[in-house]
Amino acid sequence: MTGVAAGDLAHFRSMLDHVNTQTREALMSMVREHEVAQGQVIAVEGSTLTEIGYVLEGALGMIKMLPDDRQHIIGLLIPTDLFGRVYDGPLTYRITALSHSRLVTFPLAEFQALLDQDPELERIFLVHLLDEMDAAREWLMMMNGLKVVERVASFLIILARRAGNGGEVALPLGRKDLAHYLGARPESLSRAFRTLERMQVIESLDAAARRYRICNPKRLVQASGQDLVLD
């Protein structure tokens, strides 16, 4: 656990632009960085976290254990996502690193004290809770896709909108884990990407880094078969 380079938290700092200086400095002084290995369990279902986390790099899975011991990924935490229960209540899922990841955390009790002191900080994180609800709705829409290519297109739309970098996306997971997340076989997932490339909807920029460019946003939305928006 180490201190965090200022550049790593550019987006997080931007969230706090309208918070008073004293609150912002107090919150930033609490931040600590962690590196977690792929497969590491960060929190178990039923536990009550004592920290709030923010993903800098990699991907964390929100995993629900089924009665027959199968695992079901119910959500994905990627860079700029927060996790942890700001208000009382145990987790209803497990959080596991799906890839090597970097994240920062700050203590929940001290954070809650800041929320009580600064209404603007409370507003920011209530907005974040609403964003989480929107993300859950989009995940359900994505999984409603009858075809794997529809799920892949929906996933790329969600990633591109959140990245906000001119239509380039980097997949946060390898093909096997992404196939699990999207409820598909790895070979079906590969075919779906090839289909979108043949349609000239996406272009592979770096296979090793799993980076793609979205060439035709309108056709990508059409391929998703969902009511999604790519701004």
Side-chain angles (χ1 to χ4, degrees):
M1 185 168 61
T2 63
V4 184
D8 288 336
L9 282 172
H11 180 271
F12 184 76
R13 287 179 179 276
S14 71
M15 292 170 57
L16 306 176
D17 281 346
H18 299 295
V19 175
N20 72 62
T21 302
Q22 183 179 357
T23 299
R24 183 167 58 250
E25 290 180 351
L27 182 58
M28 296 306 299
S29 71
M30 303 174 189
V31 168
R32 295 294 181 270
E33 182 180 358
H34 306 259
E35 291 200 16
V36 293
Q38 182 177 0
Q40 182 174 335
V41 176
I42 296 167
V44 297
E45 184 173 351
S47 64
T48 300
L49 295 182
T50 58
E51 295 180 313
I52 298 295
Y54 177 88
V55 182
L56 291 174
E57 183 180 301
L60 310 180
M62 301 158 62
I63 298 174
K64 190 74 174 178
M65 300 300 295
L66 303 179
D68 59 3
D69 291 331
R70 287 184 297 124
Q71 301 180 15
H72 182 51
I73 301 176
I74 61 171
L76 200 62
L77 298 164
I78 58 177
T80 75
D81 279 339
L82 285 161
F83 64 91
R85 303 298 290 265
V86 176
Y87 302 103
D88 291 342
L91 288 177
T92 57
Y93 47 81
R94 188 175 72 190
I95 301 176
T96 301
L98 299 178
S99 65
H100 179 271
S101 302
R102 292 172 55 237
L103 47 116
V104 294
T105 61
F106 38 96
L108 176 60
E110 287 85 343
F111 176 67
Q112 288 175 323
L114 287 177
L115 287 180
D116 292 339
Q117 296 168 16
D118 193 324
E120 179 60 22
L121 183 64
E122 183 178 36
R123 184 195 67 79
I124 288 170
F125 283 89
L126 285 175
V127 169
H128 173 72
L129 291 178
L130 293 174
D131 287 343
E132 283 187 338
M133 294 175 64
D134 286 342
R137 179 185 63 84
E138 288 189 331
W139 185 86
L140 289 173
M141 290 175 63
M142 179 178 68
M143 295 307 294
N144 278 338
L146 297 179
K147 300 177 181 178
V148 177
V149 70
E150 292 177 341
R151 296 177 211 163
V152 169
S154 298
F155 185 62
L156 291 173
I157 290 168
I158 293 168
L159 284 183
R161 192 171 63 241
R162 292 171 65 176
N165 60 358
E168 290 188 13
V169 297
L171 302 182
L173 301 173
R175 287 292 172 94
K176 183 178 179 181
D177 286 323
L178 183 57
H180 182 198
Y181 177 61
L182 295 179
R185 297 187 182 93
E187 56 270 24
S188 299
L189 190 72
S190 295
R191 284 196 297 271
F193 275 96
R194 288 197 297 271
T195 295
L196 292 173
E197 289 185 82
R198 284 197 303 271
M199 293 168 61
Q200 298 184 331
V201 173
I202 62 173
E203 174 190 5
S204 177
L205 298 176
D206 185 339
R210 304 189 296 267
R211 289 177 53 242
Y212 291 86
R213 175 185 293 119
I214 296 175
C215 306
N216 192 322
K218 182 177 180 180
R219 291 197 70 190
L220 184 63
V221 171
Q222 291 173 344
S224 76
Q226 302 294 339
D227 183 22
L228 295 171
V229 177
L230 180 54
D231 294 327

